[in-house]
């Protein structure tokens, strides 16, 4: 029996924005998630008075004012600016690649000196049209930055040689010749005060939500529960992997509560050498300036070491690996998806795209508005 207009698979950001907008238009939505909590990968939970980003550090940043205004309806944002530091062996560098990085690396002061060194290294690399991440990195920042700050980190993060990765991944990082450690170029940036989960809670008001419910089991008993389905899980899993597996990277988090006030002095510290097995350490309290909600300091701290691994069935997929093989395979699944009547695919896993949160909101708003026009 049809009871809902939409069955939304996934209580992450895409599913929740879709549900919110559809509910506002008078549609009845049932949202299911196989996890035992809402919010998908942006889920945050309080530990020792600190909002812990359970599935990895999430910094909201966007240049899209509509998206910024949209998300600000559901939380107040603080003025956090992401400025990670990178540790390579016993050397410490500022990120993204900027004058602080270059000055430390080459003991220079001016943008001209930095540009001259990079230009010389670029010429030595002699790359005209970068075909992969390594060539892209060498032609953007030269060999020193590539060897110390990119190669080891990227190969740990993606489990593949930099020559087998698409160049767009490295273009996510700004390169500047100013003393500016802001990791993003976007106009708006911050962390929601009190965490992300409350945002999704508010987005889901008015929808029915069933947790610990896997779609593939649920649909057996409820084949006709809704007119339409919004599916934000893995697109290849939806089609029972019949054309082959898309590859994903996942992250294992090793969390520790420490009896000290300040472990590393920054929210994000990257370990860029290959030999250190984790990619970065997150110290969550620094996302909210190390204060609790009443503005008091917190005696303990929570840290997470991130270990990147290849996805296997049974664990959470995080990053699509958008190389040629997977992009071709995705396009084939997309053809099947386009023929699937009454099912809309969305989100990072449904679109197999390295979406940031703002892009997910944009995509969900666009999707719901074309659906309900
Ligand atoms: P998800 O959050 O993955 O939600 C999909 C939901 O569907 C999940 O809850 C899942 O359990 C559920 N689901 C899947 N299959 C089924 C099924 N068969 N049955 C029922 N439920 C199912 N973005 C930024 O803007 N800034 C950042 O700093 C940032 N950092 C990140 C760090 C990490 C480690 C990762 C992995 C991502 C980061 N992102 C960041 C991206 C951000 O997490 C995503 O853009 C966003 O969470 C995607 O939302 P979504 O709804 O598409 O996917
Ligand atoms: N990267 C790097 N060194 C760093 C940080 C990032 O080489 O210290 C590269 C790496 O390939 C990574 C990409 O830049 O996958 C994008 O980094 P970002 O911080 O955007 O990754 P995310 O937060 O999505 O994990």
């Amino acid at each position: 029996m049809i009871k809902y207009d939409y069955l939304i698979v996934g209580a992450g950001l895409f599913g929740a924005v879709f549900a919110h907008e559809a509910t506002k238009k008078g549609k009845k939505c049932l949202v299911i998630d196989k996890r035992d909590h809402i919010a998908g990968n942006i889920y945050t939970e309080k530990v020792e008075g600190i909002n812990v980003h359970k599935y990895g550090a999430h910094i909201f940043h966007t240049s899209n004012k509509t998206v910024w205004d949209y998300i600000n309806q559901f939380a107040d944002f603080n003025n956090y600016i992401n400025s990670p530091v990178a540790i390579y062996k016993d050397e410490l560098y500022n990120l993204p690649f900027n004058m602080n990085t270059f000055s430390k690396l080459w003991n220079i002061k001016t943008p001209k000196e930095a540009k001259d060194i990079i230009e010389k290294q670029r010429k030595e690399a002699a790359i005209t049209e970068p075909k992969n991440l390594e060539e892209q990195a060498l032609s953007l920042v030269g060999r020193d930055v590539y060897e110390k700050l990119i190669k080891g980190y990227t190969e740990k993060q993606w489990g593949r040689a930099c020559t087998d990765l698409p160049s767009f991944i490295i273009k996510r990082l700004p390169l500047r010749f100013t003393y500016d450690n802001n990791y993003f170029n976007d106009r708006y940036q911050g962390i929601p005060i009190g965490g992300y989960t409350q945002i999704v809670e508010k987005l889901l008001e008015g929808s029915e939500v069933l947790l610990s419910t896997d779609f593939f089991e649920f649909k057996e008993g409820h084949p006709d529960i809704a007119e339409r389905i919004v599916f934000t899980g893995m697109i290849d899993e939806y089609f029972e992997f019949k054309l082959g597996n898309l590859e994903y990277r996942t992250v294992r988090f090793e969390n520790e509560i420490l009896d000290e006030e300040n472990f590393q002095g920054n929210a994000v510290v990257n370990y860029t050498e290959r030999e250190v097995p984790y990619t970065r350490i997150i110290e969550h309290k620094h996302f909210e300036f190390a204060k609790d909600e009443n503005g008091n300091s917190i005696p303990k701290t929570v840290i997470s070491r991130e270990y990147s691994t290849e996805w296997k069935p049974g664990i959470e997929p995080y990053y699509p690996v958008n190389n040629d093989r997977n992009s071709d395979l995705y396009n084939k699944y997309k053809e099947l998806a386009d023929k699937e009547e009454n099912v809309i695919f969305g989100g990072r896993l449904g679109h197999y795209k390295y979406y940031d949160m703002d892009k997910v909101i944009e995509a969900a708003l666009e999707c719901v508005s074309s659906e309900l026009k």
Side-chain angles (χ1 to χ4, degrees), residues 244-261:
N245 277 68
L246 288 165
E247 293 168 305
Y248 301 85
R249 290 296 282 175
T250 192
V251 185
R252 180 171 64 81
F253 300 98
E254 219 175 71
N255 300 322
E256 258 189 277
I257 302 171
L258 303 177
D259 261 325
E260 60 185 293
E261 210 175 310

mmCIF file of all heavy atoms in Angstrom, residues 244-261:
data_model
loop_
_atom_site.group_PDB
_atom_site.id
_atom_site.type_symbol
_atom_site.label_atom_id
_atom_site.label_comp_id
_atom_site.label_asym_id
_atom_site.label_seq_id
_atom_site.Cartn_x
_atom_site.Cartn_y
_atom_site.Cartn_z
ATOM 1 N N GLY A 244 29.975 -4.563 -11.995
ATOM 2 C CA GLY A 244 31.280 -4.522 -11.306
ATOM 3 C C GLY A 244 31.247 -3.496 -10.180
ATOM 4 O O GLY A 244 30.329 -2.674 -10.101
ATOM 5 N N ASN A 245 32.276 -3.561 -9.336
ATOM 6 C CA ASN A 245 32.343 -2.667 -8.171
ATOM 7 C C ASN A 245 32.983 -1.335 -8.498
ATOM 8 O O ASN A 245 34.065 -1.305 -9.089
ATOM 9 C CB ASN A 245 33.259 -3.276 -7.108
ATOM 10 C CG ASN A 245 32.549 -4.269 -6.258
ATOM 11 O OD1 ASN A 245 32.167 -5.327 -6.724
ATOM 12 N ND2 ASN A 245 32.359 -3.908 -4.998
ATOM 13 N N LEU A 246 32.352 -0.254 -8.063
ATOM 14 C CA LEU A 246 33.053 1.035 -8.049
ATOM 15 C C LEU A 246 33.978 1.010 -6.842
ATOM 16 O O LEU A 246 33.668 0.374 -5.830
ATOM 17 C CB LEU A 246 32.043 2.172 -7.902
ATOM 18 C CG LEU A 246 31.184 2.453 -9.130
ATOM 19 C CD1 LEU A 246 29.994 3.329 -8.762
ATOM 20 C CD2 LEU A 246 32.016 3.130 -10.210
ATOM 21 N N GLU A 247 35.098 1.720 -6.926
ATOM 22 C CA GLU A 247 36.017 1.718 -5.784
ATOM 23 C C GLU A 247 35.766 2.944 -4.894
ATOM 24 O O GLU A 247 35.426 4.019 -5.396
ATOM 25 C CB GLU A 247 37.456 1.738 -6.285
ATOM 26 C CG GLU A 247 37.828 0.459 -7.015
ATOM 27 C CD GLU A 247 39.137 0.583 -7.764
ATOM 28 O OE1 GLU A 247 39.271 1.509 -8.590
ATOM 29 O OE2 GLU A 247 40.028 -0.242 -7.532
ATOM 30 N N TYR A 248 35.923 2.745 -3.608
ATOM 31 C CA TYR A 248 35.771 3.818 -2.626
ATOM 32 C C TYR A 248 36.936 3.727 -1.658
ATOM 33 O O TYR A 248 37.462 2.639 -1.401
ATOM 34 C CB TYR A 248 34.479 3.646 -1.811
ATOM 35 C CG TYR A 248 33.212 3.626 -2.622
ATOM 36 C CD1 TYR A 248 32.753 2.436 -3.197
ATOM 37 C CD2 TYR A 248 32.464 4.778 -2.819
ATOM 38 C CE1 TYR A 248 31.583 2.404 -3.945
ATOM 39 C CE2 TYR A 248 31.292 4.758 -3.561
ATOM 40 C CZ TYR A 248 30.852 3.567 -4.122
ATOM 41 O OH TYR A 248 29.694 3.535 -4.858
ATOM 42 N N ARG A 249 37.294 4.878 -1.083
ATOM 43 C CA ARG A 249 38.239 4.859 0.041
ATOM 44 C C ARG A 249 37.437 5.056 1.308
ATOM 45 O O ARG A 249 36.375 5.704 1.315
ATOM 46 C CB ARG A 249 39.251 6.008 -0.055
ATOM 47 C CG ARG A 249 40.231 5.852 -1.153
ATOM 48 C CD ARG A 249 41.132 4.655 -0.996
ATOM 49 N NE ARG A 249 42.210 4.865 -0.034
ATOM 50 C CZ ARG A 249 43.050 3.895 0.320
ATOM 51 N NH1 ARG A 249 42.903 2.661 -0.140
ATOM 52 N NH2 ARG A 249 44.038 4.152 1.162
ATOM 53 N N THR A 250 37.949 4.499 2.366
ATOM 54 C CA THR A 250 37.292 4.690 3.643
ATOM 55 C C THR A 250 38.338 5.104 4.679
ATOM 56 O O THR A 250 39.530 5.065 4.397
ATOM 57 C CB THR A 250 36.505 3.419 4.014
ATOM 58 O OG1 THR A 250 35.664 3.715 5.085
ATOM 59 C CG2 THR A 250 37.410 2.286 4.406
ATOM 60 N N VAL A 251 37.891 5.521 5.818
ATOM 61 C CA VAL A 251 38.822 5.987 6.842
ATOM 62 C C VAL A 251 38.497 5.258 8.143
ATOM 63 O O VAL A 251 37.339 5.117 8.503
ATOM 64 C CB VAL A 251 38.693 7.513 7.071
ATOM 65 C CG1 VAL A 251 39.750 8.003 8.058
ATOM 66 C CG2 VAL A 251 38.793 8.292 5.776
ATOM 67 N N ARG A 252 39.543 4.762 8.792
ATOM 68 C CA ARG A 252 39.364 4.183 10.130
ATOM 69 C C ARG A 252 39.826 5.243 11.134
ATOM 70 O O ARG A 252 40.897 5.831 10.961
ATOM 71 C CB ARG A 252 40.218 2.919 10.248
ATOM 72 C CG ARG A 252 40.123 2.223 11.586
ATOM 73 C CD ARG A 252 40.821 0.870 11.527
ATOM 74 N NE ARG A 252 42.259 0.965 11.289
ATOM 75 C CZ ARG A 252 43.164 1.231 12.219
ATOM 76 N NH1 ARG A 252 42.800 1.456 13.465
ATOM 77 N NH2 ARG A 252 44.456 1.289 11.918
ATOM 78 N N PHE A 253 38.997 5.502 12.124
ATOM 79 C CA PHE A 253 39.339 6.540 13.105
ATOM 80 C C PHE A 253 39.765 5.872 14.412
ATOM 81 O O PHE A 253 39.065 5.001 14.918
ATOM 82 C CB PHE A 253 38.130 7.440 13.372
ATOM 83 C CG PHE A 253 37.645 8.139 12.146
ATOM 84 C CD1 PHE A 253 36.569 7.631 11.425
ATOM 85 C CD2 PHE A 253 38.267 9.277 11.676
ATOM 86 C CE1 PHE A 253 36.126 8.246 10.269
ATOM 87 C CE2 PHE A 253 37.824 9.907 10.519
ATOM 88 C CZ PHE A 253 36.756 9.390 9.813
ATOM 89 N N GLU A 254 40.907 6.288 14.911
ATOM 90 C CA GLU A 254 41.348 5.793 16.213
ATOM 91 C C GLU A 254 41.185 6.968 17.173
ATOM 92 O O GLU A 254 41.908 7.963 17.069
ATOM 93 C CB GLU A 254 42.827 5.428 16.095
ATOM 94 C CG GLU A 254 43.223 4.183 16.832
ATOM 95 C CD GLU A 254 44.682 3.874 16.532
ATOM 96 O OE1 GLU A 254 45.561 4.624 17.017
ATOM 97 O OE2 GLU A 254 44.927 2.923 15.783
ATOM 98 N N ASN A 255 40.181 6.877 18.041
ATOM 99 C CA ASN A 255 39.870 8.016 18.910
ATOM 100 C C ASN A 255 40.474 7.833 20.296
ATOM 101 O O ASN A 255 40.508 6.724 20.807
ATOM 102 C CB ASN A 255 38.349 8.157 19.060
ATOM 103 C CG ASN A 255 37.685 8.381 17.720
ATOM 104 O OD1 ASN A 255 38.222 9.090 16.872
ATOM 105 N ND2 ASN A 255 36.540 7.769 17.511
ATOM 106 N N GLU A 256 40.907 8.930 20.873
ATOM 107 C CA GLU A 256 41.460 8.872 22.230
ATOM 108 C C GLU A 256 40.988 10.079 23.020
ATOM 109 O O GLU A 256 40.949 11.195 22.470
ATOM 110 C CB GLU A 256 42.992 8.976 22.148
ATOM 111 C CG GLU A 256 43.733 7.672 22.301
ATOM 112 C CD GLU A 256 45.231 7.935 22.418
ATOM 113 O OE1 GLU A 256 45.871 8.100 21.352
ATOM 114 O OE2 GLU A 256 45.736 8.016 23.546
ATOM 115 N N ILE A 257 40.640 9.836 24.273
ATOM 116 C CA ILE A 257 40.358 10.967 25.175
ATOM 117 C C ILE A 257 41.621 11.152 26.010
ATOM 118 O O ILE A 257 42.094 10.195 26.635
ATOM 119 C CB ILE A 257 39.168 10.642 26.105
ATOM 120 C CG1 ILE A 257 37.917 10.319 25.280
ATOM 121 C CG2 ILE A 257 38.910 11.796 27.079
ATOM 122 C CD1 ILE A 257 36.758 9.775 26.091
ATOM 123 N N LEU A 258 42.167 12.338 26.004
ATOM 124 C CA LEU A 258 43.424 12.569 26.725
ATOM 125 C C LEU A 258 43.177 13.482 27.923
ATOM 126 O O LEU A 258 42.378 14.424 27.842
ATOM 127 C CB LEU A 258 44.462 13.210 25.807
ATOM 128 C CG LEU A 258 44.809 12.450 24.518
ATOM 129 C CD1 LEU A 258 45.794 13.261 23.675
ATOM 130 C CD2 LEU A 258 45.396 11.084 24.834
ATOM 131 N N ASP A 259 43.902 13.205 28.998
ATOM 132 C CA ASP A 259 43.807 14.017 30.215
ATOM 133 C C ASP A 259 44.705 15.232 30.116
ATOM 134 O O ASP A 259 45.534 15.466 30.992
ATOM 135 C CB ASP A 259 44.267 13.172 31.412
ATOM 136 C CG ASP A 259 43.073 12.622 32.135
ATOM 137 O OD1 ASP A 259 42.051 13.332 32.191
ATOM 138 O OD2 ASP A 259 43.176 11.481 32.631
ATOM 139 N N GLU A 260 44.595 15.951 29.043
ATOM 140 C CA GLU A 260 45.374 17.189 28.936
ATOM 141 C C GLU A 260 44.525 18.194 28.194
ATOM 142 O O GLU A 260 43.577 17.832 27.482
ATOM 143 C CB GLU A 260 46.715 16.954 28.230
ATOM 144 C CG GLU A 260 46.611 16.418 26.828
ATOM 145 C CD GLU A 260 47.977 16.096 26.215
ATOM 146 O OE1 GLU A 260 48.742 17.032 25.986
ATOM 147 O OE2 GLU A 260 48.237 14.913 25.962
ATOM 148 N N GLU A 261 44.863 19.471 28.360
ATOM 149 C CA GLU A 261 43.972 20.495 27.834
ATOM 150 C C GLU A 261 44.186 20.742 26.339
ATOM 151 O O GLU A 261 43.241 21.045 25.617
ATOM 152 C CB GLU A 261 44.185 21.784 28.613
ATOM 153 C CG GLU A 261 42.912 22.584 28.670
ATOM 154 C CD GLU A 261 43.049 23.811 29.535
ATOM 155 O OE1 GLU A 261 43.530 23.672 30.681
ATOM 156 O OE2 GLU A 261 42.685 24.902 29.050
#
